[in-house]
Amino acid sequence: MIEYVLDNIAPIGVDHVYVVTNAKFAGHFQKWADNYRATKAKLNFTIVNDGSTDDSNKLGAIGDLNLVITKEKVNDDLIVVAGDNLFSESLERFGKFCREKKAPVLGVYDVRDLELVKKYSSISVGPDGRITAFEEKPQNPKSTLIGIALYFYPGAVLPLIRQYIAEGNNPDQPGRLVQWLYPKAPFYTWEVPGLWFDIGSKETLEEANQIFAKRELAG
């Protein structure tokens, strides 16, 4: 899964990758990173152990993001992507779009099913592509466009992420940061091309395996 993500963001020209994991799996991810870097890519990796051992002491997705920014002294532009995202297409154009906008960007995807939107976040977008409304896990969604765990945060915005955490806001569910941030700063959207899967269950994984196996055979 994570190799698919990295293969798709590599064309953007990312110069360093931070992988955040818990205390149990940090060693496993370090071994994987050493092997991946040696055999498939020349990306620089840092495996960040957030110290969590169970749900009672986990930092949450936004908490982990803040940990990387703080612990690793990051002040450059950041692409943030969840490891359970599966993309069928390169994200090179996402990187180009972000460089042009020089503002926060959220990856969006049309799931074409209002009922399915209830599991994600509902997005409304203005004619210039900026977010005009955002609702996490809506009960009555009005659009089938959802925000996914693909974000661009320019270096100038990183202090606002630290502010979000410092104010005691919910450190989990990264969409909550978008919901808090878009009224404060222009927040653009970029529609993900091709196929996208949120691998949240064994069933979704099996469906994705079947589709991607057919694509590889066709290719």
Side-chain angles (χ1 to χ4, degrees):
M1 280 296 306
I2 196 169
E3 288 186 13
Y4 263 110
V5 172
L6 290 172
D7 289 347
N8 284 325
I9 66 171
I12 294 174
V14 174
D15 58 11
H16 200 100
V17 175
Y18 298 93
V19 178
V20 189
T21 184
N22 57 32
K24 181 177 181 179
F25 293 111
H28 296 273
F29 272 102
Q30 187 61 60
K31 289 179 182 176
W32 160 79
D34 292 342
N35 180 68
Y36 182 83
R37 181 169 45 200
T39 60
K40 293 193 66 176
K42 295 180 180 179
L43 289 170
N44 292 314
F45 278 88
T46 300
I47 304 301
V48 180
N49 180 354
D50 71 3
S52 63
T53 54
D54 54 48
D55 284 349
S56 69
N57 58 20
K58 70 178 184 179
L59 302 183
I62 308 171
D64 279 341
L65 173 58
N66 183 61
L67 173 69
V68 170
I69 293 170
T70 305
K71 183 179 179 182
E72 302 297 328
K73 297 180 173 58
V74 176
N75 55 20
D76 203 353
D77 299 346
L78 275 180
I79 289 176
V80 182
V81 55
D84 56 2
N85 276 321
L86 187 58
F87 306 98
S88 69
E89 308 295 331
S90 164
L91 297 176
E92 184 175 8
R93 284 188 290 145
F94 175 71
K96 183 179 179 182
F97 181 84
C98 294
R99 288 188 179 102
E100 289 172 354
K101 292 300 181 186
K102 299 179 181 177
V105 179
L106 168 66
V108 296
Y109 190 79
D110 191 344
V111 294
R112 305 183 189 281
D113 183 341
L114 285 172
E115 194 63 30
L116 194 56
V117 176
K118 295 179 181 180
K119 293 171 53 181
Y120 300 105
S121 52
S122 178
I123 308 288
S124 295
V125 178
D128 60 353
R130 286 170 55 172
I131 298 173
T132 57
F134 183 101
E135 185 179 3
E136 189 77 19
K137 294 182 170 51
Q139 291 300 309
N140 299 294
K142 298 177 179 63
S143 164
T144 57
L145 196 65
I146 67 165
I148 69 170
L150 172 65
Y151 314 91
F152 171 71
Y153 292 112
V157 169
L158 302 190
L160 288 173
I161 298 175
R162 293 193 289 268
Q163 179 185 336
Y164 175 92
I165 293 294
E167 289 179 0
N169 293 296
N170 190 325
D172 207 8
Q173 298 178 352
R176 293 182 182 276
L177 177 58
V178 178
Q179 194 167 12
W180 179 85
L181 187 55
Y182 87 85
K184 297 175 173 58
F187 213 126
Y188 290 88
T189 57
W190 184 80
E191 190 159 356
V192 172
L195 298 174
W196 167 81
F197 285 92
D198 173 21
I199 308 297
S201 67
K202 182 181 178 183
E203 290 73 24
T204 313
L205 178 60
E206 289 174 350
E207 180 186 359
N209 275 336
Q210 291 175 4
I211 291 173
F212 275 72
K214 290 177 182 176
R215 286 171 60 90
E216 288 177 4
L217 287 172

Coordinates of all heavy atoms in Angstrom, one line a residue, residues 6-82:
L6 N 3.9 6.0 -2.5 CA 5.2 6.6 -2.8 C 5.5 6.6 -4.3 O 6.1 7.6 -4.8 CB 6.3 5.9 -2.1 CG 6.3 6.1 -0.5 CD1 7.3 5.2 0.1 CD2 6.6 7.6 -0.2
D7 N 5.2 5.5 -5.0 CA 5.4 5.5 -6.4 C 4.7 6.6 -7.2 O 5.1 7.1 -8.2 CB 5.0 4.1 -7.0 CG 5.9 3.0 -6.6 OD1 7.0 3.3 -6.1 OD2 5.6 1.8 -6.8
N8 N 3.5 6.9 -6.6 CA 2.7 7.9 -7.3 C 3.1 9.4 -6.9 O 2.8 10.3 -7.7 CB 1.2 7.7 -7.0 CG 0.6 6.5 -7.8 OD1 1.0 6.3 -8.9 ND2 -0.3 5.8 -7.1
I9 N 3.7 9.6 -5.8 CA 4.1 10.9 -5.4 C 5.6 11.2 -5.9 O 6.0 12.4 -5.9 CB 3.9 11.3 -3.9 CG1 4.9 10.4 -3.1 CG2 2.5 11.1 -3.5 CD1 4.9 10.8 -1.6
A10 N 6.3 10.2 -6.2 CA 7.7 10.3 -6.5 C 7.9 11.3 -7.7 O 8.8 12.1 -7.7 CB 8.4 9.0 -6.9
P11 N 7.0 11.3 -8.7 CA 7.2 12.2 -9.9 C 7.1 13.7 -9.5 O 7.5 14.6 -10.2 CB 6.1 11.8 -10.9 CG 5.8 10.4 -10.5 CD 5.9 10.3 -9.1
I12 N 6.5 14.0 -8.3 CA 6.3 15.4 -7.9 C 7.7 16.0 -7.6 O 7.9 17.2 -7.7 CB 5.5 15.4 -6.6 CG1 4.0 15.0 -7.0 CG2 5.5 16.8 -6.0 CD1 3.1 14.9 -5.8
G13 N 8.7 15.2 -7.2 CA 10.0 15.7 -6.8 C 10.1 15.9 -5.3 O 10.8 16.8 -4.9
V14 N 9.5 15.0 -4.5 CA 9.6 15.1 -3.1 C 11.1 14.8 -2.7 O 11.7 13.9 -3.2 CB 8.7 14.1 -2.4 CG1 8.8 14.0 -0.9 CG2 7.2 14.4 -2.8
D15 N 11.6 15.6 -1.7 CA 13.0 15.4 -1.4 C 13.2 14.7 0.0 O 14.3 14.3 0.3 CB 13.8 16.7 -1.4 CG 13.2 17.8 -0.5 OD1 12.4 17.4 0.4 OD2 13.6 18.9 -0.5
H16 N 12.1 14.5 0.7 CA 12.2 13.8 2.0 C 10.9 13.2 2.4 O 9.8 13.9 2.2 CB 12.7 14.7 3.1 CG 13.3 13.9 4.3 ND1 14.7 13.7 4.4 CD2 12.7 13.2 5.3 CE1 14.9 13.0 5.5 NE2 13.7 12.7 6.0
V17 N 10.9 12.0 2.9 CA 9.6 11.4 3.3 C 9.7 11.1 4.8 O 10.6 10.5 5.3 CB 9.4 10.1 2.5 CG1 8.2 9.3 3.0 CG2 9.3 10.3 1.0
Y18 N 8.6 11.5 5.5 CA 8.4 11.1 6.9 C 7.3 10.1 7.0 O 6.2 10.4 6.5 CB 8.1 12.4 7.7 CG 9.2 13.4 7.7 CD1 9.2 14.4 6.8 CD2 10.3 13.4 8.6 CE1 10.2 15.4 6.7 CE2 11.3 14.3 8.6 CZ 11.2 15.3 7.6 OH 12.2 16.3 7.6
V19 N 7.5 9.0 7.6 CA 6.5 8.0 7.8 C 6.3 7.9 9.3 O 7.2 7.5 10.0 CB 6.9 6.6 7.2 CG1 5.8 5.6 7.5 CG2 7.2 6.7 5.7
V20 N 5.0 8.2 9.7 CA 4.7 8.2 11.1 C 4.0 6.9 11.5 O 3.0 6.5 10.8 CB 3.8 9.4 11.5 CG1 3.7 9.5 13.0 CG2 4.4 10.7 11.0
T21 N 4.5 6.2 12.5 CA 3.9 5.0 12.9 C 4.0 4.9 14.4 O 4.5 5.8 15.1 CB 4.6 3.8 12.2 OG1 3.9 2.6 12.6 CG2 6.0 3.7 12.6
N22 N 3.4 3.8 15.0 CA 3.4 3.6 16.4 C 4.6 2.9 16.9 O 5.4 2.4 16.1 CB 2.1 3.0 16.9 CG 1.9 1.6 16.2 OD1 2.8 0.9 15.9 ND2 0.6 1.3 16.0
A23 N 4.7 2.7 18.2 CA 5.9 2.1 18.8 C 6.0 0.6 18.4 O 7.1 0.1 18.2 CB 5.8 2.2 20.3
K24 N 4.9 0.0 18.2 CA 5.0 -1.5 17.9 C 5.6 -1.7 16.5 O 6.3 -2.7 16.3 CB 3.5 -2.0 17.9 CG 3.5 -3.5 17.6 CD 2.1 -4.1 17.8 CE 2.0 -5.6 17.5 NZ 0.6 -6.1 17.7
F25 N 5.3 -0.9 15.5 CA 5.7 -1.1 14.2 C 6.8 -0.3 13.6 O 7.2 -0.4 12.5 CB 4.5 -1.0 13.2 CG 3.4 -2.0 13.5 CD1 2.2 -1.7 14.0 CD2 3.7 -3.4 13.2 CE1 1.2 -2.6 14.2 CE2 2.7 -4.3 13.4 CZ 1.5 -4.0 13.9
A26 N 7.4 0.6 14.5 CA 8.4 1.5 14.0 C 9.6 0.7 13.4 O 10.2 1.1 12.4 CB 8.9 2.4 15.1
G27 N 10.0 -0.3 14.1 CA 11.2 -1.1 13.6 C 10.9 -1.8 12.3 O 11.7 -1.9 11.4
H28 N 9.6 -2.3 12.1 CA 9.3 -2.9 10.9 C 9.3 -1.9 9.7 O 9.8 -2.2 8.6 CB 7.8 -3.5 11.0 CG 7.7 -4.6 12.0 ND1 7.9 -5.9 11.7 CD2 7.3 -4.5 13.3 CE1 7.7 -6.6 12.8 NE2 7.4 -5.8 13.8
F29 N 8.8 -0.7 10.0 CA 8.8 0.3 8.9 C 10.2 0.8 8.6 O 10.5 1.1 7.5 CB 7.9 1.5 9.3 CG 6.5 1.3 9.0 CD1 5.6 1.0 9.9 CD2 6.1 1.5 7.6 CE1 4.2 0.8 9.5 CE2 4.8 1.4 7.3 CZ 3.8 1.0 8.2
Q30 N 11.1 0.8 9.6 CA 12.5 1.1 9.3 C 13.2 0.1 8.4 O 13.9 0.5 7.5 CB 13.3 1.2 10.6 CG 14.7 1.8 10.5 CD 14.7 3.2 9.9 OE1 14.1 4.1 10.5 NE2 15.3 3.4 8.7
K31 N 12.9 -1.2 8.7 CA 13.5 -2.2 7.8 C 12.9 -2.1 6.4 O 13.7 -2.2 5.4 CB 13.2 -3.6 8.3 CG 14.0 -3.9 9.6 CD 13.6 -5.3 10.1 CE 14.3 -5.6 11.4 NZ 13.9 -7.0 11.9
W32 N 11.6 -1.8 6.3 CA 11.0 -1.6 5.0 C 11.6 -0.4 4.3 O 12.0 -0.5 3.1 CB 9.5 -1.5 5.1 CG 8.9 -0.8 3.9 CD1 8.6 -1.4 2.7 CD2 8.6 0.6 3.7 NE1 8.2 -0.5 1.8 CE2 8.2 0.7 2.4 CE3 8.7 1.7 4.5 CZ2 7.8 2.0 1.9 CZ3 8.4 2.9 4.0 CH2 7.9 3.1 2.7
A33 N 11.8 0.7 5.0 CA 12.3 1.9 4.4 C 13.7 1.7 3.8 O 14.0 2.2 2.7 CB 12.2 3.1 5.4
D34 N 14.5 1.1 4.6 CA 15.9 0.8 4.2 C 15.9 0.0 2.9 O 16.7 0.3 2.0 CB 16.7 0.1 5.3 CG 16.9 0.9 6.5 OD1 16.8 2.2 6.4 OD2 17.2 0.4 7.6
N35 N 15.1 -1.0 2.8 CA 15.0 -1.9 1.6 C 14.4 -1.1 0.4 O 15.0 -1.2 -0.7 CB 14.2 -3.1 1.9 CG 14.1 -4.0 0.7 OD1 15.1 -4.6 0.3 ND2 12.9 -4.1 0.1
Y36 N 13.4 -0.3 0.6 CA 12.7 0.4 -0.4 C 13.7 1.4 -1.0 O 13.8 1.6 -2.3 CB 11.4 1.1 0.1 CG 10.7 1.8 -1.0 CD1 9.8 1.2 -1.8 CD2 10.8 3.2 -1.1 CE1 9.1 1.9 -2.8 CE2 10.1 3.9 -2.1 CZ 9.2 3.2 -2.9 OH 8.5 3.9 -3.9
R37 N 14.3 2.1 -0.2 CA 15.3 3.2 -0.6 C 16.4 2.5 -1.4 O 16.9 3.1 -2.4 CB 15.8 3.9 0.6 CG 16.8 5.0 0.3 CD 17.1 5.8 1.5 NE 17.3 5.0 2.7 CZ 17.2 5.4 3.9 NH1 16.8 6.6 4.2 NH2 17.5 4.6 4.9
A38 N 16.8 1.4 -1.0 CA 18.0 0.7 -1.7 C 17.6 0.1 -3.0 O 18.4 0.1 -4.0 CB 18.6 -0.4 -0.8
T39 N 16.4 -0.4 -3.2 CA 16.0 -1.2 -4.3 C 15.1 -0.4 -5.3 O 15.1 -0.7 -6.5 CB 15.3 -2.5 -3.9 OG1 14.1 -2.1 -3.2 CG2 16.2 -3.3 -3.1
K40 N 14.3 0.5 -4.8 CA 13.3 1.1 -5.7 C 13.4 2.6 -5.9 O 12.9 3.2 -6.9 CB 11.9 0.8 -5.2 CG 11.5 -0.7 -5.3 CD 10.1 -0.9 -5.1 CE 9.2 -0.3 -6.2 NZ 7.8 -0.6 -6.1
A41 N 13.9 3.3 -5.0 CA 13.9 4.8 -5.0 C 15.1 5.4 -4.2 O 15.6 4.7 -3.3 CB 12.6 5.3 -4.5
K42 N 15.4 6.6 -4.6 CA 16.5 7.2 -3.9 C 15.9 8.3 -3.0 O 16.5 9.4 -2.8 CB 17.5 7.8 -4.8 CG 18.3 6.8 -5.6 CD 19.3 7.4 -6.6 CE 20.0 6.3 -7.4 NZ 21.0 6.9 -8.3
L43 N 14.8 8.0 -2.4 CA 14.1 9.0 -1.5 C 14.8 8.9 -0.1 O 15.2 7.9 0.3 CB 12.6 8.7 -1.4 CG 11.7 8.9 -2.6 CD1 10.4 8.3 -2.3 CD2 11.6 10.4 -2.8
N44 N 14.9 10.1 0.5 CA 15.4 10.1 1.9 C 14.2 9.9 2.8 O 13.2 10.5 2.7 CB 16.0 11.5 2.2 CG 17.3 11.7 1.4 OD1 18.1 10.8 1.3 ND2 17.4 12.8 0.8
F45 N 14.4 8.9 3.8 CA 13.3 8.5 4.7 C 13.7 8.9 6.1 O 14.8 8.7 6.5 CB 13.1 7.0 4.6 CG 12.2 6.6 3.5 CD1 12.8 6.3 2.2 CD2 10.8 6.5 3.6 CE1 12.0 5.9 1.2 CE2 10.0 6.1 2.6 CZ 10.6 5.8 1.4
T46 N 12.7 9.3 6.9 CA 12.8 9.3 8.3 C 11.5 8.6 8.9 O 10.4 9.0 8.5 CB 12.8 10.7 8.9 OG1 14.0 11.4 8.4 CG2 12.9 10.7 10.4
I47 N 11.7 7.5 9.6 CA 10.6 6.8 10.3 C 10.4 7.5 11.6 O 11.3 7.5 12.4 CB 10.8 5.3 10.4 CG1 11.2 4.7 9.1 CG2 9.7 4.7 11.1 CD1 10.1 4.8 8.0
V48 N 9.2 8.0 11.8 CA 9.0 8.8 13.1 C 8.1 7.9 14.0 O 6.9 7.6 13.6 CB 8.3 10.1 12.8 CG1 8.0 10.9 14.1 CG2 9.1 11.0 11.9
N49 N 8.6 7.5 15.1 CA 7.9 6.8 16.1 C 7.1 7.7 17.0 O 7.7 8.5 17.7 CB 8.9 5.9 16.9 CG 8.2 5.1 18.0 OD1 7.0 5.2 18.2 ND2 9.0 4.2 18.6
D50 N 5.8 7.7 17.0 CA 5.0 8.7 17.8 C 4.9 8.2 19.2 O 4.2 8.9 20.0 CB 3.7 9.0 17.1 CG 2.7 7.8 17.2 OD1 3.0 6.8 17.8 OD2 1.5 8.0 16.7
G51 N 5.4 7.0 19.6 CA 5.4 6.6 21.0 C 4.1 5.9 21.4 O 4.1 5.4 22.6
S52 N 3.1 5.9 20.6 CA 1.8 5.3 21.0 C 1.9 3.8 21.1 O 2.6 3.2 20.3 CB 0.7 5.8 20.1 OG 0.9 5.3 18.8
T53 N 1.2 3.2 22.0 CA 1.1 1.8 22.2 C -0.3 1.2 22.0 O -0.5 0.0 21.8 CB 1.7 1.4 23.5 OG1 1.0 2.1 24.6 CG2 3.2 1.7 23.6
D54 N -1.3 2.1 22.2 CA -2.7 1.7 22.0 C -3.6 2.9 21.8 O -3.1 4.0 21.8 CB -3.2 0.8 23.2 CG -3.0 1.5 24.5 OD1 -3.4 2.7 24.6 OD2 -2.5 0.9 25.5
D55 N -4.9 2.7 21.6 CA -5.8 3.8 21.3 C -5.8 4.9 22.5 O -6.1 6.0 22.2 CB -7.2 3.3 21.1 CG -7.4 2.7 19.7 OD1 -6.4 2.8 18.9 OD2 -8.4 2.0 19.5
S56 N -5.4 4.5 23.7 CA -5.5 5.4 24.8 C -4.5 6.5 24.8 O -4.6 7.5 25.4 CB -5.5 4.6 26.1 OG -4.1 4.1 26.3
N57 N -3.3 6.2 24.1 CA -2.3 7.2 24.1 C -1.8 7.6 22.7 O -0.8 8.2 22.5 CB -1.1 6.8 24.9 CG -0.5 5.4 24.4 OD1 -0.7 5.0 23.3 ND2 0.3 4.8 25.3
K58 N -2.6 7.3 21.7 CA -2.3 7.7 20.3 C -2.5 9.2 20.2 O -3.3 9.8 20.8 CB -3.1 6.9 19.3 CG -4.6 7.3 19.2 CD -5.3 6.5 18.1 CE -6.8 6.9 18.0 NZ -7.5 6.2 17.0
L59 N -1.7 9.8 19.3 CA -1.7 11.2 19.1 C -2.8 11.7 18.1 O -3.2 12.9 18.2 CB -0.4 11.7 18.6 CG 0.9 11.4 19.5 CD1 2.1 12.1 18.8 CD2 0.7 11.9 20.9
G60 N -3.3 10.8 17.3 CA -4.2 11.2 16.3 C -3.5 11.7 15.0 O -2.3 12.0 15.1
A61 N -4.2 11.7 13.9 CA -3.6 12.0 12.6 C -3.0 13.4 12.6 O -1.9 13.6 12.1 CB -4.6 11.8 11.5
I62 N -3.8 14.4 13.1 CA -3.3 15.8 13.1 C -2.2 15.9 14.2 O -1.2 16.7 14.0 CB -4.4 16.8 13.4 CG1 -5.5 16.5 12.4 CG2 -3.9 18.2 13.3 CD1 -6.8 17.3 12.7
G63 N -2.3 15.2 15.3 CA -1.3 15.2 16.3 C 0.0 14.6 15.8 O 1.1 15.2 16.1
D64 N 0.0 13.6 14.9 CA 1.2 13.0 14.3 C 1.8 14.0 13.4 O 3.0 14.1 13.3 CB 0.8 11.7 13.6 CG 0.7 10.5 14.5 OD1 1.3 10.6 15.6 OD2 0.1 9.5 14.1
L65 N 1.0 14.7 12.6 CA 1.5 15.8 11.7 C 2.2 16.8 12.5 O 3.3 17.3 12.1 CB 0.3 16.4 10.9 CG 0.6 17.6 10.0 CD1 1.7 17.2 9.0 CD2 -0.7 18.0 9.3
N66 N 1.6 17.3 13.6 CA 2.2 18.3 14.4 C 3.5 17.8 15.0 O 4.5 18.5 15.1 CB 1.3 18.7 15.5 CG 1.8 19.8 16.4 OD1 2.1 20.9 15.9 ND2 2.0 19.5 17.7
L67 N 3.6 16.5 15.4 CA 4.8 15.9 15.9 C 5.9 16.0 14.9 O 7.1 16.3 15.2 CB 4.5 14.4 16.3 CG 5.8 13.6 16.7 CD1 6.3 14.1 18.1 CD2 5.4 12.1 16.8
V68 N 5.7 15.6 13.6 CA 6.7 15.7 12.6 C 7.2 17.1 12.4 O 8.4 17.4 12.4 CB 6.2 15.1 11.3 CG1 7.2 15.4 10.1 CG2 5.9 13.6 11.4
I69 N 6.3 18.1 12.3 CA 6.6 19.5 12.1 C 7.5 19.9 13.3 O 8.5 20.6 13.0 CB 5.4 20.3 12.0 CG1 4.6 20.0 10.7 CG2 5.7 21.8 12.0 CD1 3.2 20.6 10.6
T70 N 7.2 19.6 14.5 CA 7.9 20.0 15.7 C 9.2 19.3 15.9 O 10.3 19.9 16.0 CB 7.0 19.9 16.9 OG1 5.8 20.6 16.7 CG2 7.7 20.5 18.1
K71 N 9.1 18.0 15.9 CA 10.3 17.1 16.2 C 11.3 17.2 15.2 O 12.5 17.3 15.5 CB 9.8 15.7 16.4 CG 10.9 14.7 16.8 CD 10.4 13.3 17.0 CE 11.5 12.3 17.4 NZ 11.0 11.0 17.5
E72 N 10.9 17.2 13.9 CA 11.9 17.2 12.8 C 12.2 18.6 12.3 O 12.9 18.8 11.3 CB 11.3 16.4 11.6 CG 11.0 15.0 12.0 CD 12.2 14.2 12.4 OE1 13.3 14.5 11.9 OE2 12.1 13.3 13.3
K73 N 11.6 19.6 13.0 CA 11.9 21.0 12.7 C 11.6 21.3 11.2 O 12.4 21.9 10.5 CB 13.3 21.4 13.0 CG 13.6 21.3 14.5 CD 15.0 21.7 14.9 CE 15.2 21.8 16.4 NZ 15.0 20.5 17.0
V74 N 10.4 20.9 10.7 CA 10.0 21.1 9.3 C 9.5 22.5 9.2 O 8.6 22.9 9.9 CB 9.0 20.1 8.9 CG1 8.5 20.3 7.5 CG2 9.5 18.7 9.0
N75 N 10.0 23.2 8.2 CA 9.4 24.5 7.9 C 9.2 24.7 6.4 O 9.0 25.8 5.9 CB 10.3 25.7 8.4 CG 11.8 25.5 7.9 OD1 12.0 24.9 6.9 ND2 12.7 26.2 8.7
D76 N 9.3 23.6 5.6 CA 9.2 23.6 4.2 C 7.8 23.2 3.8 O 7.0 22.8 4.7 CB 10.2 22.7 3.6 CG 10.5 23.0 2.1 OD1 9.8 23.9 1.6 OD2 11.4 22.4 1.5
D77 N 7.5 23.3 2.5 CA 6.1 22.8 2.0 C 6.0 21.3 2.3 O 6.9 20.6 2.2 CB 6.0 23.1 0.5 CG 6.1 24.5 0.1 OD1 6.0 25.4 1.0 OD2 6.3 24.8 -1.1
L78 N 4.7 21.0 2.6 CA 4.5 19.6 3.0 C 3.3 19.0 2.1 O 2.3 19.7 2.0 CB 4.0 19.5 4.4 CG 5.1 19.4 5.5 CD1 4.4 19.3 6.9 CD2 6.0 18.1 5.3
I79 N 3.5 17.8 1.6 CA 2.4 17.0 1.1 C 2.1 15.9 2.2 O 3.0 15.2 2.6 CB 2.8 16.3 -0.2 CG1 2.8 17.4 -1.3 CG2 1.7 15.3 -0.6 CD1 3.3 16.8 -2.7
V80 N 0.9 15.9 2.6 CA 0.4 14.9 3.6 C -0.5 13.9 2.9 O -1.5 14.3 2.3 CB -0.3 15.6 4.8 CG1 -0.6 14.6 5.9 CG2 0.7 16.7 5.4
V81 N -0.2 12.6 3.1 CA -1.1 11.6 2.4 C -1.2 10.4 3.4 O -0.2 10.0 4.0 CB -0.6 11.2 1.0 CG1 0.9 10.8 1.1 CG2 -1.4 10.2 0.4
A82 N -2.4 9.9 3.5 CA -2.7 8.8 4.4 C -2.2 7.5 3.7 O -2.3 7.4 2.5 CB -4.1 8.6 4.7

